[in-house]
Amino acid sequence: MTVPVHTPGSETARPVTTPSTVDTELVQLLTPEGRRVEHERYAFDGDDESVRSLYRDLLLVRRVDHEAHALQRHGELGLWAQCLGQEAAQVGSGRALRSQDFAFPTYREHGVAWCRGIDPAKLLGLFRGVELGGWDPAETGMALYSIIIGAQTMHATGYAMALQRDGAVGTGDPTRDAAALAYFGDGASSQGDVHEAFVWASSFNAPVVFFCQNNHWAISVPLARQSRTPLVQRAAGYGFGGVRVDGNDVLAVHAVTQAALQRARDGEGPTLVEAVTYRMGAHTTSDDPTRYRDSAEVEAWRHRDPLARVERYLRELDTPESFFTDLQTEADDLGAHLREACRSLPEPDLGALFDGVYADAHPELAAQKAEYLAYRDSFDTEGGAA
Amino acid sequence: MSASTSERTSAVGQRLSLGKAINAGLRAAMEADPKVVVMGEDVGPLGGVFRVTEGLQKDFGEDRVIDTPLGESGIVGAAVGMMLRGYRPVMEIQFDGFVYPAYDQIVSQVAKLHARSQGVVRMPAVIRIPFGGGIGAVEHHSESPEAQFCLTAGLRVVSPSNAHDAYWMIQQAVASDDPVVFMEPKRRYWDAGPVGQESTPLHASQVVRDGRHATLLAYGPMVRTCLESAEAAAEDGVDLEVIDLRTLSPLDLGPVHESVRRTGRAVVVHEASRTLGLGAEIAARVQEECFYSLEAPVLRVTGYDLPYPPSRVEEEFLPDLDRVLDAVDRAMAF
């Protein structure tokens, strides 16, 4: 079903040159059996070497996720939010970003962080309880994880408005034109901030792509409680285009996201991408999905695994076995790195945190810091309370 | 932190209303830094419902003075994204009671991103909120939510009480690398006063009337009420010192402690409800610092712990000269 949508041009925005459409049909370029299929509007623009490179990312991201999950079970992390099953949605979209683009994640986008070149060890500090954020957003082109559901979609929209003001949209210069990519989930689609972000992005024709990973579960609440219609249809009500993609098909996700990002960079405004995927793990390590969902449902999705289909495709191509064994070695090394890095993360110093709340001097907090340090030191001094 | 430059349009030497002084200060800040943008509901051609942004869109264009969709969370959330690209947004929240939809973006995002990013990200936001009652408005238009922002680490909260401070404090707030909640005393928007040279840092309280017998502490709209109370008390031979707190977070209580050590008595006055209002914090600190100097308990004259009342009875709800002097009498008689 293709619904033509009228997109009003704002006074200040560039005129929309391509008609926006909302397509509820699932875009797929690689079947779960590992067979490449054609699509009338989308094509994966890479060669088989690129497919191997994507597979490498998928496998390493799965390893990162697996290691972090195990570290939590060993008591090294307080919590972990697995991205198991969503690797293709994250790697496919993350790899469509250019260095000048900016990603706004939730707390589960470990695969996107990987694509932005963030050492996965930096993801662990938040979950180990030693820090509140681990990387420099400006340096990496990725905002910090957002645990408040949906808040980051407004940040992405504001960032996109700043891109417009900086003359970084629609110039035709591929090294300059940029877009924001906002991640959120099916649960977040019910949040008011996501609605506001859609309104603003449409109104200002902002260069932002709203990338919804519909993983079917918001902790224990199923998709049906969030929406009675495919989420992608919501784009029509806001006046921009939407596309629904097999979120477990890394080639399709990459193609669809790349097209949406290019539209945004070209000044043609926002797009909603609904990547249909499945949260194979628990919501977090504190969750118990056996209380609310059927194992048969999980089993059905196991047959649509995002890695298995790429592996099948690559093996059909007679990819040498050494590719897979080398990759396994690389994954093992990465796992060892993560385990070591996790245990080596420095313990936080409460005293140092007083200095990081404000950019400018803050006498009241300085006084509280002095009070805390004096109290702490009272246990260390000779003849002290200790 | 000084916002002064000679090339800029200056209001120094003029006599302006408090609202026009903020307008002039915003104009100066926008001239000084192209990254300063003004955003909010009706801030464009209308100039804001109180006309504080009047003429700015005409002079600085629609990209820098942004009439936003109607949604307060969106205003603050979009500003967060703009700040990640180095912008310095000045947001207008139309009325105090409309800020709550933006509360999450303010306390979870604007206030915390600097700390969450280990100091890498800066949030140089100004969130302007016309606040307080006394204008006969309908509900949600007369509230005093300042304490709710004071208890959030990462925010700064200030409130000017006169045109001179309004002109300079808005520029200092824009220049601040930390987020500033800028509480504007809406019932005093039309109070006119002279604008002089920049003299006082943003986070400094100020003695605005010297006195010997008791110290009145106020900010924003209640400073004028306290000055008028002091005038009246003087006729009865009671000599009241008045301190304009100006900065609510961080508080600058050095001048307060110095004053109370001399007078031995303190009365805190604010429109906001009593329980856990600024007065509670100030009373606690004054008794910690000035215990042996106190001749009476620190008293509070505040709004009651009610939803803001229908405007026909707001005069009874709001602290006024008589209630302030009643508290002074009680302090003096203790």
Side-chain angles (χ1 to χ4, degrees):
Chain A
M1 185 177 72
T2 299
V3 185
V5 175
H6 169 67
T7 304
S10 92
E11 301 74 20
T12 50
R14 274 164 54 96
V16 175
T17 52
T18 316
S20 301
T21 58
V22 172
D23 201 337
T24 55
E25 192 189 328
L26 212 60
V27 177
Q28 191 179 66
L29 299 176
L30 183 67
T31 69
E33 294 73 37
R35 189 167 45 84
R36 295 281 289 266
V37 288
E38 299 286 316
H39 189 276
E40 60 180 3
R41 282 195 290 139
Y42 295 99
F44 177 66
D45 68 357
D47 55 14
D48 286 332
E49 188 52 42
S50 322
V51 180
R52 274 191 284 277
S53 163
L54 285 169
Y55 182 70
R56 173 179 173 271
D57 285 349
L58 291 171
L59 189 120
L60 294 179
V61 166
R62 178 163 288 184
R63 183 55 176 262
V64 166
D65 193 55
H66 177 77
E67 287 291 341
H69 185 258
L71 283 164
Q72 195 281 333
R73 289 300 187 236
H74 282 261
E76 298 290 347
L77 301 180
L79 187 81
W80 182 252
Q82 279 184 284
C83 67
L84 185 67
Q86 298 176 220
E87 296 92 342
Q90 298 187 6
V91 168
S93 57
R95 284 278 297 267
L97 289 162
R98 289 187 185 152
S99 62
Q100 71 267 30
D101 297 328
F102 206 97
F104 289 82
T106 73
Y107 46 80
R108 203 188 294 282
E109 267 65 75
H110 318 313
V112 181
W114 173 264
C115 295
R116 296 313 267 167
I118 294 170
D119 181 342
K122 293 193 170 181
L123 306 175
L124 302 180
L126 176 71
F127 295 98
R128 189 171 165 85
V130 301
E131 63 186 11
L132 302 173
W135 55 90
D136 181 344
E139 192 180 285
T140 56
M142 176 157 144
L144 296 178
Y145 276 175
S146 176
I147 287 178
I148 302 293
I149 304 292
Q152 75 282 1
T153 58
M154 262 323 307
H155 305 165
T157 303
Y159 188 92
M161 291 170 65
L163 287 173
Q164 291 174 310
R165 280 154 182 77
D166 291 340
V169 184
T171 69
D173 178 352
T175 64
R176 179 169 179 82
D177 291 341
L181 181 54
Y183 289 89
F184 65 109
D186 46 301
S189 74
S190 298
Q191 281 278 11
D193 270 4
V194 173
H195 164 71
E196 291 192 37
F198 286 7
V199 169
W200 283 60
S202 178
S203 177
F204 292 104
N205 205 38
V208 55
V209 173
F210 296 107
F211 190 90
C212 178
Q213 287 171 84
N214 171 4
N215 71 9
H216 289 83
W217 292 94
I219 306 189
S220 68
V221 178
L223 173 65
R225 184 53 53 88
Q226 318 294 346
S227 182
R228 297 284 293 268
T229 61
L231 291 169
V232 72
Q233 284 190 348
R234 293 195 181 168
Y238 296 91
F240 52 84
V243 55
R244 202 158 188 248
V245 61
D246 179 347
N248 287 9
D249 173 355
V250 71
L251 304 186
V253 171
H254 186 271
V256 159
T257 312
Q258 192 174 55
L261 284 169
Q262 195 53 48
R263 271 182 64 94
R265 295 183 199 112
D266 288 344
E268 293 177 16
T271 303
L272 172 61
V273 176
E274 179 188 355
V276 181
T277 181
Y278 195 78
R279 194 194 78 208
M280 293 298 287
H283 163 67
T284 68
T285 45
S286 298
D287 179 34
D288 175 11
T290 65
R291 292 174 69 95
Y292 53 80
R293 73 182 183 187
D294 203 346
S295 60
E297 180 183 294
V298 183
E299 205 45 45
W301 277 93
R302 203 177 304 282
H303 294 295
R304 289 176 244 176
D305 183 74
L307 274 70
R309 69 180 74 186
V310 187
E311 184 181 346
R312 284 186 197 114
Y313 171 74
L314 290 177
R315 289 197 185 276
E316 281 293 311
L317 285 180
D318 292 330
T319 302
E321 186 58 30
S322 61
F323 168 77
F324 296 102
T325 52
D326 288 354
L327 190 52
Q328 200 52 53
T329 306
E330 192 180 359
D332 290 344
D333 292 347
L334 179 60
H337 161 67
L338 266 185
R339 294 191 296 275
E340 167 59 26
C342 178
R343 296 186 178 101
S344 307
L345 282 168
E347 286 298 307
D349 170 14
L350 184 64
L353 297 182
F354 288 88
D355 301 323
V357 183
Y358 295 93
D360 296 331
H362 194 282
E364 287 192 321
L365 215 47
Q368 285 189 22
K369 178 184 178 181
E371 181 185 315
Y372 163 71
L373 292 179
Y375 175 74
R376 190 171 76 177
D377 290 348
S378 73
F379 293 93
D380 298 333
T381 50
E382 211 176 331
Chain B
M1 208 139 111
S2 167
S4 315
T5 61
S6 51
E7 305 86 44
R8 239 178 293 158
T9 312
S10 172
V12 173
Q14 295 182 41
R15 186 174 173 81
L16 295 177
S17 69
L18 190 150
K20 289 222 180 300
I22 297 173
N23 177 276
L26 283 173
R27 179 175 292 277
M30 294 187 80
E31 285 175 0
D33 185 349
K35 287 290 193 184
V36 176
V37 294
V38 165
M39 55 201 289
E41 297 154 8
D42 307 294
V43 299
L46 182 67
V49 295
F50 290 106
R51 308 295 181 264
V52 170
T53 59
E54 190 161 41
L56 296 180
Q57 191 180 65
K58 183 171 149 286
D59 293 342
F60 295 99
E62 290 181 28
D63 276 354
R64 291 190 65 196
V65 181
I66 308 167
D67 253 340
T68 67
L70 204 165
E72 289 77 13
S73 186
I75 293 170
V76 181
V80 169
M82 296 183 81
M83 284 186 276
L84 291 175
R85 280 193 71 82
Y87 283 83
R88 304 182 85 87
V90 181
M91 293 157 258
E92 176 169 311
I93 301 295
Q94 201 157 67
F95 281 91
D96 35 59
F98 302 173
V99 73
Y100 304 112
Y103 195 65
D104 169 65
Q105 288 285 357
I106 296 172
V107 304
S108 296
Q109 310 296 336
V110 172
K112 293 188 174 72
L113 269 166
H114 185 68
R116 284 170 58 204
S117 67
Q118 338 267 341
V120 169
V121 171
R122 293 198 168 180
M123 288 282 120
V126 178
I127 303 171
R128 296 180 38 239
I129 309 176
F131 84 112
I135 63 164
V138 296
E139 62 175 349
H140 310 302
H141 290 69
S142 302
E143 302 183 3
S144 297
E146 59 273 18
Q148 305 195 35
F149 301 108
C150 295
L151 56 77
T152 301
L155 299 177
R156 295 172 182 268
V157 185
V158 302
S159 184
S161 69
N162 58 71
H164 171 84
D165 276 352
Y167 177 71
W168 288 113
M169 287 170 75
I170 190 67
Q171 294 179 70
Q172 293 165 332
V174 172
S176 168
D177 280 334
D178 293 314
V180 178
V181 178
F182 196 83
M183 305 296 298
E184 301 177 359
K186 70 165 87 79
R187 68 199 285 198
R188 309 298 186 207
Y189 269 142
W190 300 273
D191 285 9
V195 175
Q197 295 289 345
E198 182 176 18
S199 50
T200 313
L202 183 60
H203 294 292
S205 57
Q206 205 167 27
V207 177
V208 289
R209 180 191 168 100
D210 294 321
R212 294 174 293 137
H213 295 132
T215 306
L216 298 180
L217 305 169
Y219 54 87
M222 286 291 105
V223 173
R224 179 173 136 189
T225 304
C226 286
L227 286 169
E228 290 169 356
S229 302
E231 287 293 317
E235 292 170 17
D236 295 334
V238 178
D239 192 8
L240 298 177
E241 183 141 304
V242 180
I243 296 182
D244 182 352
L245 292 169
R246 298 172 82 255
T247 175
L248 311 184
S249 179
L251 284 163
D252 175 34
L253 294 187
V256 173
H257 298 148
E258 193 277 324
S259 172
V260 175
R261 285 189 192 107
R262 277 189 288 105
T263 63
R265 294 173 173 84
V267 177
V268 194
V269 184
H270 54 64
E271 291 188 20
S273 302
R274 182 167 311 163
T275 302
L276 294 175
L278 262 294
E281 178 65 23
I282 292 167
R285 298 222 211 158
V286 168
Q287 65 86 17
E288 281 177 19
E289 294 293 325
C290 310
F291 189 71
Y292 291 107
S293 306
L294 285 171
E295 301 289 344
V298 179
L299 298 181
R300 289 172 287 170
V301 182
T302 69
Y304 301 104
D305 290 357
L306 295 170
Y308 196 86
S311 60
R312 296 287 279 264
V313 292
E314 71 179 339
E315 299 297 330
E316 292 174 60
F317 173 87
L318 293 168
D320 62 6
L321 184 146
D322 290 325
R323 279 178 64 197
V324 171
L325 293 183
D326 176 67
V328 169
D329 286 348
R330 283 186 283 128
M332 297 302 292
F334 199 84

